Amino acid sequence: MKTLILLALAGLGAQLVDGSLGMAYGVTSTTLLLAIGTNPAAASATIHLAEIGTTLASGLSHWKFGNVDWKVVAKVGVPGAVGAFAGAHFLSALSTEIAAPVMSLILVSLGAYILVRFTLRGIDRRNIGKPVRGRFLGPLGLVAGFVDATGGGGWGPVGTPALLASGRMEPRKVIGSIDTSEFLVALAASLGFLVALGSQGIDPMWVAGLLAGGLVAAPIAAWLVRHIPPRLLGSMVGGVIVLTNVRTLLRSEWVDAGTTTSAVVYTVLAAVWVLAVVHSYREYRKDRAAESADAVAAVAARNVSAAEEPVHGHEQPVGAGRPSAPRD
């Protein structure tokens, strides 16, 4: 019972982060399952089975709050499902020890770019609303789905920063679309694991525990992403990407950093992240105040025009409408 409660809490926390920031459900849940002795393939299979329910609930919640671009969901989700099925099927024969640090290095670079961009520049609306090309979304979904299945997580960390970096979608739309399309990825990965492994090592009660927590958190997370300012959300996502992947790099054979070194790096990065989020919030308040002042000025100008319109628009010539003088 204690394990089930911990799994439910982990599922709630992981979905709350994933649904509001577009990533980290798999990373958080996989870490817990591996810590209690689950082998990597069974851990990934358990998480993806739970994600079938959590991503469905998350997608419906994001759709309700208007956070989903269905064209993007289809163009990135279908290739993602193909990649996830392939990754799940070959996980037992595939080593990700070398690939993980390489991917983490790429993601740290993307995360740093997003953190700096949203913190210092805010939302660049010049490309917002422009369609995201299918030739970009297809390969992105294929790679993200494969990484997600083989690493127990990765759909959000790969897909979210790439779409944010394109500058063509609002952060809430990116997160909602990535979370919704993850349903297809989770379903395909689960089928791949069941074909390759059967039910070996998969505990249905663990799946139920993760699922229960995720279902509670899904609508809360969708509401949060609807109401968090885009500039602030971008800074938050960038920091999560950097911190998550720096952790992978420090633990890899490439770096193999000690406990003290890792602690110092985490502390510095966390401090920079907090300062960035605070700065983004202050700039958001300034932008909002400026927009409010402009809106008030625009309303005042319209009121002045409306008040002057009857005078100039309906002015009648002298004598018009008066009764004629009596004739002799």
Side-chain angles (χ1 to χ4, degrees):
M1 180 59 70
K2 181 180 179 180
T3 301
L4 289 178
I5 293 175
L6 289 175
L7 286 169
L9 291 174
L12 188 148
Q15 182 59 43
L16 193 62
V17 173
D18 185 86
S20 57
L21 297 182
M23 65 189 70
Y25 184 93
V27 173
T28 304
S29 303
T30 301
T31 300
L32 175 64
L33 291 182
L34 292 179
I36 59 179
T38 310
N39 70 70
S44 187
T46 300
I47 290 163
H48 283 94
L49 283 169
E51 280 186 318
I52 293 176
T54 59
T55 54
L56 179 60
S58 182
L60 291 173
S61 299
H62 279 297
W63 168 68
K64 180 179 178 181
F65 286 103
N67 301 332
V68 179
D69 185 326
W70 290 105
K71 292 182 179 179
V72 172
V73 170
K75 291 179 180 179
V76 76
V78 174
V82 174
F85 184 86
H89 193 69
F90 294 106
L91 177 60
S92 59
L94 179 68
S95 173
T96 57
E97 292 180 359
I98 297 177
V102 174
M103 183 59 66
S104 294
L105 186 60
I106 295 172
L107 292 174
V108 165
S109 302
L110 275 172
Y113 167 74
I114 291 169
L115 181 63
V116 172
R117 173 178 173 174
F118 279 87
T119 301
L120 300 182
R121 293 174 53 192
I123 301 294
D124 185 356
R125 299 189 177 275
R126 291 175 297 178
N127 293 321
I128 292 290
K130 292 183 179 179
V132 186
R133 294 182 177 88
R135 63 187 180 186
F136 167 72
L137 292 173
L140 172 64
L142 194 65
V143 172
F146 188 85
V147 171
D148 186 81
T150 56
W155 179 252
V158 175
T160 298
L163 279 180
L164 283 175
S166 72
R168 292 173 178 258
M169 296 177 66
E170 297 179 38
R172 68 180 183 89
K173 288 275 189 176
V174 170
I175 292 170
S177 300
I178 287 293
D179 266 17
T180 302
S181 59
E182 193 172 7
F183 170 75
L184 299 175
V185 175
L187 184 61
S190 298
L191 291 174
F193 281 119
L194 291 175
V195 170
L197 299 174
S199 59
Q200 181 181 2
I202 301 175
D203 190 331
M205 294 302 294
W206 290 10
V207 175
L210 288 171
L211 176 60
L215 291 177
V216 172
I220 300 173
W223 180 86
L224 283 174
V225 76
R226 175 74 178 178
H227 291 82
I228 297 176
R231 182 167 190 166
L232 183 61
L233 192 61
S235 296
M236 293 170 66
V237 170
V240 170
I241 296 168
V242 171
L243 286 172
T244 301
N245 290 283
V246 163
R247 176 177 178 272
T248 301
L249 284 174
L250 291 176
R251 293 188 173 189
S252 69
E253 294 182 358
W254 291 6
V255 180
D256 193 20
T259 304
T260 303
T261 302
S262 298
V264 172
V265 172
Y266 294 150
T267 301
V268 172
L269 289 177
V272 171
W273 184 29
V274 170
L275 291 175
V277 171
V278 170
H279 177 76
S280 292
Y281 181 72
R282 288 178 176 174
E283 292 300 312
Y284 158 73
R285 293 292 298 271
K286 290 180 182 178
D287 293 342
R288 187 176 180 182
E291 290 175 359
S292 298
D294 291 341
V296 170
V299 171
R302 285 198 300 269
N303 290 338
V304 171
S305 299
E308 294 177 350
E309 185 176 353
V311 176
H312 299 289
H314 300 284
E315 185 176 339
Q316 296 179 342
V318 176
R322 295 178 181 176
S324 301
R327 296 181 181 180
D328 296 334

